[in-house]
Amino acid sequence: MKILTAEQMQQVDRLSTDLYGIPSLLLMENAATQTTLAIERKYGAVRGKRILITCGKGNNGGDGAAVARQLWMRGAVVDVLLLGELDATAGDARVNFQIVKQLAADDDSITFGELRTSENWQELAQLFPAYDLIVDALLGTGLQRPASGLYASVIAHLNRISAEHAVPIVAIDIPSGLAANNDQIIGPTIQADLTVTFTAPKPANVLPPACYRGGELVVVPIGSPDSLISQSGAALNLLEPRHIAHWLDRTRRTPLSHKGTYGHALLIAGSRGKPGAACLAAEAALRAGAGLVTVATVSSAQTAIISRVAEAMTELLSETPDGAIAETAQDRALGLALERTVVAIGPGITTSDGTRRFTEAVVRQRNRPTVIDADGLNCLSPWPSNLSGKEIPLILTPHPGEMARLANASTRHVLDNRVAVARDFAVKHSLILVLKGNRSLIAAPDGQIYVNPTGNAGLATAGSGDVLTGIIAGFLAQTPDAPLEATQAAVYLHGLAADLAAEALDMRTLVASDVIRYLSQAISQTANKA
């Protein structure tokens, strides 16, 4: 699903009218209908409920006025509060405000008020705890600076009423106070329980921390043709279960298949005292569906790996006196790779000087699609400018600290510019980059970014990255010709497995092996959404 900036969304709306003759007033009406339906799906029938709709003077407020009419038609008692004067509104918004005002003159189950001063606000605010629901239509996607004055006061009061009296807030398109294109919270912002956004999500709807002000996100169509969305030039995308389900369908087991059908993953992992990372990655690759998994490791780690992951094979690599992979092991590793489908390198290999040289040699001379994680990334930091994934795919999976070392930047810079950092690095080096963290990002060589909606803070535990490496390797072994799709499926399902584990176990007690344990359930749940 495309994620559109405010400007791209405005263009889609305009072209829907200019090219297809869809009146903008009809788009607003469709938005109101979809919002009303979303409210009833979440909160039940509105008949007899008392609902407050707070509106700004722009089109977001016009949406709110149209929603008010829809709710009133379904039997709700609705109060519409316009922050400003009706005479200061224009266009489609003014049309809907005038309709509500006229209805209010004839029916006391719908009211219309104009809030002009802070004093008026203080009087009205005393009534708010009596509402069953509040609809936020104050500020839309055009906001670029922090809300201030009366708007800031209203936002703060609505949040307080919602929190203290358990009155849910539904935001139309975007919680008021957020800047649609900004993942940061720029000022006073509504804390919504439900956000109904139109046509496509905006960056602030899906990127943290801004996205957490929206509660549950529902994306609804309002009549704009899909062709306009696909031609919008948007480079941000939201991963959806149906997209992952298509990849799962492609790798579905068939009666005539055998273990060779599903690829052979080579994991270069482990060192003395660090066999656990190799074990987690190997078990994850097997659970992900790879037909065969071989762990190339040092003798110091081999026994522990064999004892824990009986289904995996092992191959020995020469080691240093400290128990790490030696530089001299590169020819052996490259030979093993030739006989496999994909390679993953990094979990638990350390960053000793010899291992660094080994890692760079293997990655430079690779002959198979290669996943690099953990110590493998640190061995290649800062990333060599002449190392590219153009000919043979490279998939990197750094957390923000590792990304900072790869890009020779500060961790703060990475965290503040996640989309730009991931995109620039992936494009510059022609590779796939998974920037792990809150709403992990997948950056493709063509500049497209995919936002993963699954996962939780329970993944902030040792070994969760090793599990992701194994799942990517296992999926890639099954579709080595589709590295981006395999990576998307792995990141999504890794996060979903963690979500399922957290529901059953609580985030605080979640460990990396729990993610492996719930991977099967995540796959089954998603496969049904094709």
Side-chain angles (χ1 to χ4, degrees), residues 148-172:
S148 59
L150 181 59
Y151 278 87
S153 297
V154 172
I155 287 170
H157 193 88
L158 293 179
N159 284 339
R160 185 163 61 253
I161 292 298
S162 177
E164 293 178 358
H165 299 276
V167 181
I169 298 178
V170 177
I172 295 181

Side-chain angles (χ1 to χ4, degrees), residues 53-127:
I53 302 184
T54 54
C55 300
K57 294 179 290 185
N59 281 338
N60 192 248
D63 292 333
V67 168
R69 178 166 38 80
Q70 293 275 355
L71 293 170
W72 169 76
M73 290 167 61
R74 286 167 167 78
V77 178
V78 183
D79 294 332
V80 178
L81 183 61
L82 170 63
L83 269 66
E85 299 182 19
L86 178 58
D87 289 343
T89 64
D92 297 336
R94 184 181 180 89
V95 170
N96 276 297
F97 285 129
Q98 287 176 322
I99 292 172
V100 170
K101 184 176 182 180
Q102 186 60 46
L103 290 172
D106 298 330
D107 191 324
D108 58 8
S109 63
I110 184 169
T111 69
F112 177 78
E114 297 167 272
L115 181 63
R116 306 179 186 186
T117 68
S118 296
E119 289 73 22
N120 295 147
W121 165 250
Q122 295 302 324
E123 295 171 10
L124 290 168
Q126 304 305 314
L127 303 173

Side-chain angles (χ1 to χ4, degrees), residues 173-451:
D173 216 7
I174 192 169
S176 292
L178 289 180
N181 299 346
N182 198 330
D183 60 0
Q184 300 299 308
I185 297 167
I186 64 170
T189 304
I190 285 290
Q191 179 61 64
D193 299 280
L194 171 69
T195 297
V196 184
T197 197
F198 310 132
T199 304
K202 290 74 188 175
N205 290 136
V206 296
L207 294 173
C211 65
Y212 294 116
R213 292 301 178 96
E216 178 186 348
L217 178 67
V218 177
V219 183
V220 296
I222 62 171
S224 294
D226 289 342
S227 59
L228 294 180
I229 302 170
S230 61
Q231 296 166 14
S232 65
L236 275 175
N237 309 269
L238 182 66
L239 290 181
E240 297 178 88
R242 63 184 179 86
H243 177 78
I244 308 305
H246 290 317
W247 183 90
L248 289 171
D249 188 61
R250 178 182 173 185
T251 56
R252 191 182 301 277
R253 268 21 183 188
T254 65
L256 298 179
S257 61
H258 53 83
K259 60 188 177 184
T261 306
Y262 303 105
H264 191 160
L266 175 68
L267 307 181
I268 301 174
S271 59
R272 183 185 300 162
K274 295 185 177 180
C279 294
L280 288 168
E283 187 175 355
L286 287 161
R287 290 290 183 186
L292 296 158
V293 174
T294 295
V295 182
T297 190
V298 295
S299 61
S300 303
Q302 185 183 36
T303 301
I305 295 169
I306 292 172
S307 65
R308 173 165 170 176
V309 193
E311 299 88 348
M313 297 173 283
T314 61
E315 293 284 353
L316 284 179
L317 299 175
S318 57
E319 64 184 291
T320 67
D322 295 332
I325 299 172
E327 181 181 3
T328 55
Q330 60 183 270
D331 289 342
R332 170 72 170 153
L334 289 166
L336 291 170
L338 274 173
E339 301 171 6
R340 274 77 185 177
T341 314
V342 300
V343 175
I345 182 170
I349 64 173
T350 80
T351 57
S352 64
D353 290 343
T355 306
R356 283 179 175 272
R357 292 190 289 271
F358 163 84
T359 300
E360 182 164 357
V362 169
V363 173
R364 284 193 180 278
Q365 299 175 59
R366 69 191 184 283
N367 42 52
R368 293 291 183 269
T370 301
V371 185
I372 310 174
D373 183 35
D375 287 339
L377 295 171
N378 292 326
C379 284
L380 292 165
S381 297
W383 187 260
S385 60
N386 60 352
L387 184 53
S388 166
K390 185 173 293 186
E391 301 300 327
I392 300 175
L394 279 175
I395 301 167
L396 278 56
T397 62
H399 58 56
E402 291 164 343
M403 186 71 247
R405 291 188 284 276
L406 287 171
N408 201 21
S410 70
T411 303
R412 185 73 264 162
H413 175 76
V414 172
L415 290 171
D416 289 344
N417 301 276
R418 294 172 70 236
V419 170
V421 167
R423 178 190 290 124
D424 292 348
F425 195 93
V427 171
K428 181 178 180 180
H429 301 290
S430 300
L431 48 77
I432 297 168
L433 187 134
V434 179
L435 182 52
K436 296 183 292 193
N438 193 334
R439 297 284 173 102
S440 293
L441 304 177
I442 303 169
D446 63 358
Q448 292 290 309
I449 298 283
Y450 302 86
V451 182

